[in-house]
Amino acid sequence: MNKTAILLISLFFFSCMPKSDNSAPTETKQSNVYQGPIIDMHIHANSEESGKFFFGLEHPETLRGERYKGVNSAKEQMDETLKRFEIHNIVKAMVTNGDLWINDAPDKIIIGKSNLPADTLRALFQKGRMQVMAEMSPFYGGIKADDPSLDPYFDLAEELQIPVGFHIFPGGPPGGIYDLGLKGMRVANASPLQIEEVLVKRPDLKIYIMHGGWPYLDDMKALMYAHPQIYLDIAVIDWILTKEEFYNYLRELVDAGFGKRIMFGTDQMTWPQTIDIAVNTLNGADFLSWKQREDIFYNNAAHFLGLSEEEIAKHKSMKQNL
């Protein structure tokens, strides 16, 4: 075969090869930092009375080796939190005792109430002062979710068709049993499997496990596999754990196929900077695609809360206040 024939054959094969596309797929063209709307499923508001123990208190050292100085008043707590809503494009937030802030951010606050008599909660709902039963935290008193004393609360939430945010573990900062006097909580009571009978008895109950069920990864996977109605938030574990531990836990849940039922949260109490840390931590999870970040930051909670298509479209038209 002469050189001319070889050249012609080479040109033919080259022309048949697919043209390389130097442009990246749509997802990689986007910034890996999510800047769309965020729903925070776990925040706290305080009055001067209810927050007096925490105001000015430095948060004990986290597993990241960090400490945070607390705000000094109820007004500072609200102002600093709402400021971060604007910075991070937090369009909705489930705020325990959110009625304290509702007049200042009526479109953003979802009012959570709990740890009150069931009749009181019913009355609050009827007055429009409760939309989520949260944060339910009998764990601090050594009471598990399947204790009969909690039946009236779960029955009420099912009747009113409102979501429940159920706190299990972790409780307080590392060593909180000793440093903060949380004498009633026990690690032995902390597995998320304690909620299973509640789910079986009330299959229509909308409920999410606060703090992601950490560190009971296998129990949480099994629970989510068996009960498609259960969701979780990643509040507190997205800033109190080391990044490595948080990422390992989150990656396992996502890889197991539960990425559509994981919701963002901060558990911001009197340390507003934890909102910044939580947002940045989730954005730093390089194993998540942009779509998976959007699901956790917004889509999953929007679905769980039953937001209308109109409200979702409005939120997605809003840009982060950089």
Side-chain angles (χ1 to χ4, degrees):
M1 185 178 295
N2 61 38
K3 291 182 179 179
T4 301
I6 293 173
L7 177 62
L8 289 173
I9 292 171
S10 299
L11 289 173
F12 173 79
F13 278 109
F14 180 77
S15 67
C16 292
M17 291 174 64
K19 301 295 188 293
S20 63
D21 183 4
N22 293 325
S23 62
T26 301
E27 183 175 294
T28 58
K29 278 185 174 180
Q30 295 173 313
S31 169
N32 209 28
V33 176
Y34 176 79
Q35 297 177 2
I38 293 174
I39 298 175
D40 189 324
M41 289 297 293
H42 196 160
I43 282 184
H44 295 268
N46 286 296
S47 65
E48 289 296 339
E49 177 62 26
S50 66
K52 62 183 179 181
F53 175 79
F54 293 100
F55 292 147
L57 179 69
E58 182 180 68
H59 191 285
E61 188 172 304
T62 69
L63 295 182
R64 298 188 190 185
E66 298 171 346
R67 294 176 179 269
Y68 310 115
K69 182 66 182 297
V71 296
N72 294 308
S73 68
K75 186 176 188 307
E76 185 183 1
Q77 180 195 18
M78 181 184 72
D79 290 346
E80 289 297 318
T81 302
L82 295 184
K83 180 172 73 175
R84 284 167 171 82
F85 283 10
E86 296 301 318
I87 292 171
H88 296 293
N89 200 11
I90 297 174
V91 296
K92 286 283 187 185
M94 194 299 296
V95 182
T96 299
N97 296 323
D99 50 326
L100 296 171
W101 297 356
I102 192 68
N103 293 333
D104 294 88
D107 295 333
K108 296 190 175 186
I109 303 299
I110 302 168
I111 302 174
K113 285 287 186 180
S114 65
N115 304 326
L116 295 168
D119 289 344
T120 301
L121 294 177
R122 179 187 295 276
L124 288 171
F125 173 81
Q126 292 170 344
K127 294 175 183 177
R129 294 179 59 198
M130 180 181 72
Q131 295 155 305
V132 177
M133 192 178 293
E135 164 181 29
M136 281 188 72
S137 52
F139 172 71
Y140 288 112
I143 300 172
K144 297 170 70 173
D146 54 6
D147 191 285
S149 66
L150 299 182
D151 283 347
Y153 297 94
F154 293 123
D155 290 343
L156 179 63
E158 184 180 43
E159 175 193 340
L160 300 179
Q161 297 184 325
I162 60 173
V164 173
F166 195 83
H167 165 101
I168 307 179
F169 197 75
I177 293 176
Y178 310 100
D179 298 336
L180 294 182
L182 303 174
K183 301 297 186 182
M185 71 177 194
R186 293 291 183 274
V187 174
N189 291 338
S191 170
L193 294 182
Q194 66 183 269
I195 206 79
E196 185 164 34
E197 290 306 314
V198 174
L199 298 172
V200 172
K201 290 178 183 177
R202 303 168 186 85
D204 296 327
L205 182 65
K206 297 181 70 172
I207 188 166
Y208 66 107
I209 301 295
M210 292 175 153
H211 314 315
W214 181 87
Y216 298 91
L217 178 61
D218 288 341
D219 287 357
M220 198 67 230
K221 286 182 183 179
L223 193 71
M224 296 185 84
Y225 180 90
H227 306 282
Q229 69 270 43
I230 194 80
Y231 279 62
L232 62 84
D233 78 29
I234 54 174
V236 105
I237 63 173
D238 49 16
W239 57 266
I240 208 167
L241 302 181
T242 65
K243 287 184 180 180
E244 292 78 11
E245 172 65 13
F246 172 67
Y247 289 154
N248 287 340
Y249 192 80
L250 179 61
R251 182 189 289 109
E252 287 272 358
L253 289 171
V254 172
D255 287 351
F258 303 121
K260 292 290 187 180
R261 286 187 275 156
I262 300 171
M263 303 186 293
F264 178 73
T266 60
D267 199 9
Q268 198 298 97
M269 292 166 276
T270 55
W271 303 281
Q273 60 269 56
T274 58
I275 296 177
D276 307 324
I277 296 165
V279 170
N280 292 338
T281 296
L282 186 57
N283 263 322
D286 292 338
F287 55 89
L288 295 176
S289 68
W290 192 92
K291 182 63 171 64
Q292 288 170 325
R293 292 169 200 260
E294 183 185 40
D295 285 344
I296 295 172
F297 270 125
Y298 180 84
N299 290 338
N300 297 341
H303 180 265
F304 178 78
L305 294 168
L307 300 188
S308 67
E309 292 183 4
E310 291 76 15
E311 188 167 16
I312 292 172
K314 176 184 175 183
H315 290 160
K316 293 200 172 185
S317 70
M318 300 167 69
K319 304 299 181 184
Q320 188 177 24
N321 186 17
L322 295 174

